[in-house]
Amino acid sequence: MKTLVLSSVFLALSSSAATLTESETKQLTQLKNTALQSDLSYQVLESLTTEVGHRLMGSEGDRKAIIWAQAKMNALGFDKVWTEEVTGTFWQRGEAQAKIITPYPHDVVAIALGGSIATSDEGLTGEVAHFETLADLIAAPDNSLNGKIAFVSYQMEEHIDGNGYGPAVGTRVGGAVVAAKKGASALIMRSVGTDNNRIAHTGIMRYEAGVKKIPAAALSNPDADLLVNQLKRNKPVNFYLKLTSHTDPKVTAVSANVIGEITGSEFPDEIVSIGAHLDSWDVGTGALDDGMGVAMMLASAHHIAQLPIRPKRTIRVILFAAEEVGLLGAKKYMEVHEKNMANHIIGAEWDFGVGKIYKMTSGVGKESLTAINDLAKHLAPLGVELSNDNNAQAQSDMSVMSAAGMPSMNFAPDGTKYFDYHHTENDTLDKVNADDLKQATAVYTLFAYFSAQSEINFRK
Amino acid sequence: MKTLVLSSVFLALSSSAATLTESETKQLTQLKNTALQSDLSYQVLESLTTEVGHRLMGSEGDRKAIIWAQAKMNALGFDKVWTEEVTGTFWQRGEAQAKIITPYPHDVVAIALGGSIATSDEGLTGEVAHFETLADLIAAPDNSLNGKIAFVSYQMEEHIDGNGYGPAVGTRVGGAVVAAKKGASALIMRSVGTDNNRIAHTGIMRYEAGVKKIPAAALSNPDADLLVNQLKRNKPVNFYLKLTSHTDPKVTAVSANVIGEITGSEFPDEIVSIGAHLDSWDVGTGALDDGMGVAMMLASAHHIAQLPIRPKRTIRVILFAAEEVGLLGAKKYMEVHEKNMANHIIGAEWDFGVGKIYKMTSGVGKESLTAINDLAKHLAPLGVELSNDNNAQAQSDMSVMSAAGMPSMNFAPDGTKYFDYHHTENDTLDKVNADDLKQATAVYTLFAYFSAQSEINFRK
Ligand SMILES: [Zn+2]
Ligand SMILES: [Zn+2]
Ligand SMILES: [Zn+2]
Ligand SMILES: [Zn+2]
């Protein structure tokens, strides 16, 4: 058995020599050990969640986060740190009040969807019209919901790769427009979430030009269950909703992408970008979404900055503004850097805490797949398996850059529990497993070092 | 193997023949099947939580629950149904607002402890004095907390038998008195709970004559963590608390024990009592605490009432009022029935949902242990093991009757998850596992039938 083990180690070393030299491979192994032993990413996340808290685009927390991020980058040994302004609107949540009035009165837990208008100051009351899916709501005749409150009770499914999100999120994003077209006075929905806590899930919703804007809110999942149970009794169910959320059209919200670099020692203009979004919803402390990503990127860059020599290429950490309210930071980044996109050698974002990374999927040129295989061999001992697909976009903000031709990597975590906490008051530090965070930080550290030290053209 | 199985069945039957006849044993087996196949207890619980909701002593929900319970008993075929008035005070929760003001502002989730006075309308502000345990708070010098807010951060441990509750609950019940003696202006504490949700746990607290009353609140566990993390930075932490809870001393709250019987066919004066408390805290819908118990007792009695002949002894279902605010219903029951306690043959309460029953402990005379062993053999296939101890009191309200000499049984569930939800907004129907509820209902059904059909004097 000993011989077998030795020979497989030899195979791994000899084949990865195609991309990295022996001494570079040694460096990589040392980096892996450093990252796995360090609790730096956890400490950075603790700092962000404790000292800043949540950070909705345009809010006081957002401003603090921008200052915090620059200070951290400087303290962690980045070579260059700067910001690029991002502007947009500032939506304020206000208060949400909801109750079942008849047949059996209950106060229920509700949260305004991001971007929702307010109800009147008195709130609104209406009979609940129940739809099990968005498709059912779409199928309702025009004017059939006049004066009613549309309720979609679709329950998100839990899956390791989070694929239950797609079928569920349509109601949140577009449900209010559909309901308004049918004459509804408001939309309420079961939260897009897999938990059973009395905590509702927010997230962005959209209005459509020419369609009446109506207030939209999510109920906590146990409250949605209760409402369904009342509806089953076949008596009219009357519901009360009050939201005081609003956007002041005269106010321009100012935020910024925060960018820091470990400057390349040989090819400083060639950029390996790693990123996360710095903003969060205004609930919880944005520990998972996306504080984890912020912390991982800062710690990864720091570990690499501690090496005696900078890697050949530049590692650029991009902390995007205003992801939650519509990828505003990513769009602004493209505006500023589109002409330089060819120099963006490869990129990977993280926006899918919490849980261990178990899979990586590349989106690179065919010739580069040998190098990707080499990288995968280094990551395999961390429990990361290489997907057979080679069609990945980077996550969230960086998907915009992938679409513009940037070669990309996508690291997939066990997302089974993510949607228990996503966009809720429950998105707090205690949900983060310190060991999983170490593993994920090690993965990004190795990805960044490997990509920056190799001379591979990932477009080919 | 077949022979072995047959002979052990034979042994079980022949030894249980000591307590029940063969036809009674057959009846018991049929009852077990009925209870295990029926979803009646779940349906009853769904009805209570959907149509009534929470039911704090003296509240509108409490009044509804009393009407609901009598109607259910009548509908389920009870022979006698009546109420016995219970009076007390009516505490109202009002609103709770809490935040960390410095060094890093955060809104935090807090809940008033049951019975707490309000702060002033403006709320109160003070520097946080941190104690890891109640013992540490007790050890603080007099006047050392003048103008400060005492914070006890003790974290309840999770155990299958819930034994982490005892060491944690002292702060909730008595912490405010201790803190006031040291000069504190308020008490805040980590919730008595094992979850990590942004939902705080309430529960009764006490004041002491001659000691200044101060407001008392629990923080959700993630918020307690956040506060501890801020305190670790060794800067003064200032905290704001506003409670509007109050008790109007002029108002007498009127509630009632609701009692129903399946009258014994041979010894109607001999009472086998099973019970639960009908009241709940004013958060969630009291599904686990103690709606489950209510539903189990009603369904158990119904299953027995469906038999062609009533068991020999009377089965009395007691749904106690005002358990949460100090066992007021139990005390009233003793007042009314103390003289008749000798006719209370044996009793068991349920006040410890959620989870499967895995253990039973008796508290009976020595001669009765043979019968208890017989009962245990019938319950063993349900996964219930007989404890070697014979010192049990009944749970909660009925512990008062145990103390007055009533022989008792205590059925212990897997309580690992109970304190995730206990006394919170999260105590809702979705937390109940329908199969576990069937098992628990079957256990109580068999216990009640066995005790009522046998002629054992459990005092001996
Ligand atoms: Zn995100
Ligand atoms: Zn998000
Ligand atoms: Zn209870
Ligand atoms: Zn209780």
Side-chain angles (χ1 to χ4, degrees), chain B residues 277 289-290 323-324 351 396 418:
Chain B
H277 65 83
D289 187 12
D290 185 18
E323 188 272 348
E324 296 292 5
D351 187 19
S396 296
Y418 184 52

PDB file of all heavy atoms in Angstrom, chain B residues 277 289-290 323-324 351 396 418, ligand 3:
ATOM      1  N   HIS B 277     -51.471  21.451  29.642  1.00  0.00           N
ATOM      2  CA  HIS B 277     -51.996  22.789  29.931  1.00  0.00           C
ATOM      3  C   HIS B 277     -52.524  23.442  28.663  1.00  0.00           C
ATOM      4  O   HIS B 277     -51.940  23.313  27.589  1.00  0.00           O
ATOM      5  CB  HIS B 277     -51.011  23.675  30.690  1.00  0.00           C
ATOM      6  CG  HIS B 277     -49.750  24.059  29.991  1.00  0.00           C
ATOM      7  ND1 HIS B 277     -49.674  25.109  29.119  1.00  0.00           N
ATOM      8  CD2 HIS B 277     -48.497  23.544  30.061  1.00  0.00           C
ATOM      9  CE1 HIS B 277     -48.422  25.233  28.676  1.00  0.00           C
ATOM     10  NE2 HIS B 277     -47.685  24.294  29.221  1.00  0.00           N
ATOM     11  N   ASP B 289     -45.962  23.722  23.045  1.00  0.00           N
ATOM     12  CA  ASP B 289     -46.121  24.031  24.468  1.00  0.00           C
ATOM     13  C   ASP B 289     -47.438  24.736  24.681  1.00  0.00           C
ATOM     14  O   ASP B 289     -47.497  25.947  24.635  1.00  0.00           O
ATOM     15  CB  ASP B 289     -44.938  24.885  24.928  1.00  0.00           C
ATOM     16  CG  ASP B 289     -44.931  25.109  26.426  1.00  0.00           C
ATOM     17  OD1 ASP B 289     -45.687  24.429  27.131  1.00  0.00           O
ATOM     18  OD2 ASP B 289     -44.170  25.978  26.889  1.00  0.00           O
ATOM     19  N   ASP B 290     -48.487  24.007  24.858  1.00  0.00           N
ATOM     20  CA  ASP B 290     -48.565  22.593  25.102  1.00  0.00           C
ATOM     21  C   ASP B 290     -49.716  22.040  24.272  1.00  0.00           C
ATOM     22  O   ASP B 290     -50.406  21.115  24.674  1.00  0.00           O
ATOM     23  CB  ASP B 290     -48.748  22.373  26.611  1.00  0.00           C
ATOM     24  CG  ASP B 290     -48.730  20.902  27.006  1.00  0.00           C
ATOM     25  OD1 ASP B 290     -48.252  20.076  26.217  1.00  0.00           O
ATOM     26  OD2 ASP B 290     -49.229  20.581  28.098  1.00  0.00           O
ATOM     27  N   GLU B 323     -50.757  27.597  33.311  1.00  0.00           N
ATOM     28  CA  GLU B 323     -49.535  26.927  33.749  1.00  0.00           C
ATOM     29  C   GLU B 323     -48.347  27.858  33.650  1.00  0.00           C
ATOM     30  O   GLU B 323     -47.513  27.954  34.543  1.00  0.00           O
ATOM     31  CB  GLU B 323     -49.299  25.666  32.897  1.00  0.00           C
ATOM     32  CG  GLU B 323     -48.158  24.776  33.392  1.00  0.00           C
ATOM     33  CD  GLU B 323     -46.779  25.142  32.841  1.00  0.00           C
ATOM     34  OE1 GLU B 323     -46.684  25.936  31.888  1.00  0.00           O
ATOM     35  OE2 GLU B 323     -45.773  24.649  33.402  1.00  0.00           O
ATOM     36  N   GLU B 324     -48.275  28.559  32.510  1.00  0.00           N
ATOM     37  CA  GLU B 324     -47.076  29.353  32.213  1.00  0.00           C
ATOM     38  C   GLU B 324     -46.828  30.459  33.227  1.00  0.00           C
ATOM     39  O   GLU B 324     -45.682  30.814  33.491  1.00  0.00           O
ATOM     40  CB  GLU B 324     -47.195  29.975  30.806  1.00  0.00           C
ATOM     41  CG  GLU B 324     -47.239  28.963  29.674  1.00  0.00           C
ATOM     42  CD  GLU B 324     -45.932  28.198  29.467  1.00  0.00           C
ATOM     43  OE1 GLU B 324     -45.002  28.377  30.271  1.00  0.00           O
ATOM     44  OE2 GLU B 324     -45.865  27.413  28.514  1.00  0.00           O
ATOM     45  N   ASP B 351     -46.101  17.717  28.858  1.00  0.00           N
ATOM     46  CA  ASP B 351     -45.748  19.117  28.633  1.00  0.00           C
ATOM     47  C   ASP B 351     -44.300  19.185  28.169  1.00  0.00           C
ATOM     48  O   ASP B 351     -43.504  19.950  28.699  1.00  0.00           O
ATOM     49  CB  ASP B 351     -45.958  19.926  29.924  1.00  0.00           C
ATOM     50  CG  ASP B 351     -45.779  21.424  29.696  1.00  0.00           C
ATOM     51  OD1 ASP B 351     -45.852  21.851  28.529  1.00  0.00           O
ATOM     52  OD2 ASP B 351     -45.545  22.155  30.674  1.00  0.00           O
ATOM     53  N   SER B 396     -45.130  19.052  35.011  1.00  0.00           N
ATOM     54  CA  SER B 396     -45.754  20.378  35.128  1.00  0.00           C
ATOM     55  C   SER B 396     -46.881  20.423  36.150  1.00  0.00           C
ATOM     56  O   SER B 396     -46.670  20.133  37.329  1.00  0.00           O
ATOM     57  CB  SER B 396     -46.257  20.830  33.753  1.00  0.00           C
ATOM     58  OG  SER B 396     -45.144  20.973  32.902  1.00  0.00           O
ATOM     59  N   TYR B 418     -36.555  20.485  21.494  1.00  0.00           N
ATOM     60  CA  TYR B 418     -37.647  21.223  22.135  1.00  0.00           C
ATOM     61  C   TYR B 418     -37.246  22.657  22.476  1.00  0.00           C
ATOM     62  O   TYR B 418     -38.010  23.605  22.233  1.00  0.00           O
ATOM     63  CB  TYR B 418     -38.085  20.479  23.401  1.00  0.00           C
ATOM     64  CG  TYR B 418     -39.279  21.080  24.107  1.00  0.00           C
ATOM     65  CD1 TYR B 418     -40.456  21.360  23.421  1.00  0.00           C
ATOM     66  CD2 TYR B 418     -39.235  21.361  25.470  1.00  0.00           C
ATOM     67  CE1 TYR B 418     -41.558  21.896  24.072  1.00  0.00           C
ATOM     68  CE2 TYR B 418     -40.329  21.896  26.130  1.00  0.00           C
ATOM     69  CZ  TYR B 418     -41.484  22.161  25.433  1.00  0.00           C
ATOM     70  OH  TYR B 418     -42.568  22.689  26.076  1.00  0.00           O
TER      71      TYR B 418
HETATM   72 ZN    ZN C   3     -45.632  23.931  29.088  1.00  0.00          ZN
END
